[in-house]
């Protein structure tokens, strides 16, 4: 029962992510997103969804501090990413892990070295403890026994797992995933989904996931925002199963039911 009370205690802590009034613009063009607000709570698997060009990757780039918001603020565990002109940016970046779409493992390093590297670089841990910790991370993602393999010598699904182990190197309670199932077959993709759920539930890691894999969305996402290009922001927010029933919002229903807009409009009582 102690873990339950720990989780309750966590609710009083600042959430992993809080986005306030985020606007994103590129160059001198008009903003593509305006006044976006959302929170990712501790331990939840949060989806950033929407059609192509709706701004999902742009939101992610702002969340990880790669791009400075045109307007608004991003708090990571209560700390403003860009406070003091970004002086604490690197510190804040160590509080989350990130898995880019293309795996982002170093090809010339073994899996163990890949996972160990952030620990060697950013912690004062001894080499021995780093190696032990890296082994633990690899076994957590089901790669025990593959420590000395090179990324090129394992499957695509295993590379994704290794990239997640690497994202876990600094023991973050928040991990961002950009299209985790991209390029994976449905079974491997389902495996990866299970892993994400296990890590969220067992280790209390919150996930911010950009995806349009409908199977994943319906089976693992606890809560999501749906972005829409013409709205320049969030058009719906909630649990996927509820969003799929939003017949008053044809775009949202179409997205979750994999319908065309025409089909969704026909199913909608108001259009
Ligand atoms: N680096 C950039 N420079 C200029 N425009 C960009 C840049 N990145 C994205 N955009 C524009 O912003 C909009 C949203 O893009 P993006 O965030 O990649 O959407 P998504 O990930 O949902 O497909 C698109 O219209 C895209 O052309
Ligand atoms: Mg994108």
């Amino acid at each position: 029962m102690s873990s339950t009370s720990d989780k309750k205690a966590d609710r009083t802590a600042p959430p992993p992510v809080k986005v306030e009034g985020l606007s994103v613009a590129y160059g001198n063009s008009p903003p593509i997103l305006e006044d976006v607000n959302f929170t990712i709570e501790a331990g939840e698997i949060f989806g950033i969804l929407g059609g192509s060009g709706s701004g999902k990757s742009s939101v992610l780039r702002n969340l990880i501090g790669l791009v400075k918001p045109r307007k608004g603020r991003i708090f990571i565990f209560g700390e403003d990413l860009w406070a003091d002109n970004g002086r604490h940016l690197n510190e804040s970046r160590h509080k989350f892990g990130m898995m880019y779409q293309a795996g982002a493992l170093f090809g010339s390093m073994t899996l163990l070295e890949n996972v160990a590297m952030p620990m060697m670089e950013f912690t004062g841990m001894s080499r021995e403890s780093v190696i032990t910790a890296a082994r633990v991370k690899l076994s957590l993602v089901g790669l025990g026994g593959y420590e000395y393999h090179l990324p090129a010598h394992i499957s695509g699904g295993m590379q994704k797992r290794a990239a997640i182990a690497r994202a876990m190197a600094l023991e973050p309670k928040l991990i961002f995933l950009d299209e985790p199932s991209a390029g994976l077959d449905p079974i491997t993709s389902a495996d990866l989904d299970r892993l994400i759920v296990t890590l969220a539930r067992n280790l209390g890691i919150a996930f911010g996931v950009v995806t349009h894999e409908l199977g994943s969305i319906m089976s693992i996402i606890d809560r999501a925002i749906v972005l829409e290009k013409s709205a320049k922001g969030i058009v719906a927010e909630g649990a996927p199963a509820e969003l799929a029933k939003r017949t008053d919002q044809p775009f949202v229903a179409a997205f979750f039911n994999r319908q065309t807009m025409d089909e969704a409009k026909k199913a909608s009582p108001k259009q």
Side-chain angles (χ1 to χ4, degrees):
M1 286 314 284
S2 72
S3 71
T4 313
S5 53
D6 286 350
K7 270 181 195 156
K8 273 182 191 151
D10 279 347
R11 296 227 172 99
T12 61
V17 175
K18 189 167 172 42
V19 173
E20 274 184 7
L22 173 67
S23 292
V24 178
Y26 290 103
N28 294 322
S29 311
I32 58 145
L33 293 167
E34 276 180 322
D35 195 23
V36 168
N37 298 279
F38 65 90
T39 301
I40 302 181
E41 304 291 349
E44 82 174 335
I45 304 176
F46 186 89
I48 298 168
L49 317 179
S52 301
S54 60
K56 304 181 296 294
S57 297
S58 298
V59 167
L60 199 58
R61 283 197 288 270
N62 278 267
L63 292 182
I64 66 175
L66 214 56
V67 170
K68 189 174 180 181
R70 177 60 60 96
K71 274 191 202 161
R73 291 198 294 175
I74 290 164
F75 297 89
I76 301 291
F77 296 104
E79 287 179 21
D80 185 345
L81 261 191
W82 292 93
D84 297 336
N85 272 322
R87 216 146 34 98
H88 313 287
L89 197 54
N90 280 333
E91 243 166 81
S92 294
R93 277 195 183 137
H94 294 165
K95 296 192 177 129
F96 58 78
M98 168 78 206
M99 187 181 83
Y100 294 95
Q101 206 162 326
L105 294 167
F106 291 102
S108 62
M109 292 184 184
T110 64
L111 300 192
L112 191 72
E113 287 167 337
N114 262 285
V115 179
M117 211 188 79
M119 292 186 250
M120 294 298 277
E121 201 168 337
F122 301 117
T123 73
M125 290 162 73
S126 71
R127 194 180 161 76
E128 216 167 75
S129 325
V130 164
I131 289 172
T132 306
R135 283 181 180 282
V136 172
K137 305 279 186 280
L138 283 169
S139 75
L140 278 171
V141 301
L143 288 174
Y146 289 90
E147 290 81 2
Y148 300 103
H149 282 63
L150 289 173
H153 297 158
I154 57 174
S155 70
M158 290 160 88
Q159 289 174 8
K160 295 278 167 101
R161 286 167 177 272
I164 290 180
R166 194 184 139 89
M168 287 163 60
L170 301 179
E171 314 233 312
K173 290 290 181 194
L174 171 64
I175 294 181
F176 295 113
L177 305 172
D178 191 5
E179 297 281 353
S181 337
L184 299 182
D185 65 76
I187 294 172
T188 309
S189 165
D191 266 355
L192 195 66
D193 283 351
R194 296 297 165 273
L195 173 63
I196 293 166
V197 172
T198 303
L199 295 175
R201 303 297 177 252
N202 294 355
L203 302 178
I205 298 173
F207 283 89
V209 188
V210 169
T211 180
H212 38 236
E213 186 70 33
L214 200 59
S216 290
I217 293 168
M218 300 316 279
S219 64
I220 73 165
I221 300 286
D222 295 315
R223 209 161 55 84
I225 50 171
V226 182
L227 301 174
E228 216 239 319
K229 193 170 186 157
S230 62
K232 296 189 174 187
I234 298 172
V235 290
E237 178 167 0
E242 284 154 28
L243 294 176
K245 294 182 209 146
R246 295 270 170 96
T247 46
D248 56 329
Q249 284 183 293
F251 168 79
V252 175
F255 184 91
F256 285 93
N257 295 301
R258 196 177 263 143
Q259 290 170 313
T260 63
M261 280 299 287
D262 278 348
E263 286 163 348
K265 279 179 182 161
K266 271 181 205 146
S268 154
K270 288 184 188 162
Q271 307 278 318

